[in-house]
Amino acid sequence: MTRTLLLAAIVIFGMGMAAADAPREAVDAKIRAEFPEVATITTGKLATWLADSGRQSPVLLDARSEAEFSVSHLLHARRAGDAETLRAALAGVAADA
């Protein structure tokens, strides 16, 4: 059975606009326009998924800096800010996930 891998990356830089300068809807629209092939999930659906003990847990990756990650992050999220931390975060995750 193929396991699901959810990549939840919080990336503020590179979007062409600062989060404080643009309404959330504008940021969401820009992300959808620039990355249409990337699936998204609402916070409500993620919470339901995480609470479902009969479902494979997602792997949550956070691409922010170590300093930002240390301030706050989703429960069970793994920091993956660069290639080295990404490899460490994915250690033990099946290749077909």
Side-chain angles (χ1 to χ4, degrees):
M1 170 191 247
T2 301
R3 292 190 296 171
T4 303
L5 175 66
L6 173 67
L7 303 177
I10 302 169
V11 181
I12 295 182
F13 61 92
M15 295 306 301
M17 60 179 77
D21 296 338
R24 180 67 199 181
E25 297 79 19
V27 173
D28 289 344
K30 184 168 179 64
I31 291 169
R32 281 191 307 275
E34 290 188 23
F35 306 99
E37 68 285 354
V38 176
T40 61
I41 186 170
T42 66
T43 54
K45 287 181 181 180
L46 177 59
T48 299
W49 184 354
L50 292 170
D52 186 349
S53 61
R55 190 169 181 190
Q56 175 71 36
S57 295
V59 174
L60 302 173
L61 300 177
D62 189 324
R64 296 174 302 150
S65 72
E66 187 172 354
E68 292 171 309
F69 184 83
S70 68
V71 171
S72 69
H73 55 270
L74 295 173
L75 184 62
H76 304 298
R78 302 173 187 188
R79 196 177 87 72
D82 57 30
E84 183 178 332
T85 57
L86 176 59
R87 278 191 292 279
L90 292 176
V93 175
D96 66 344

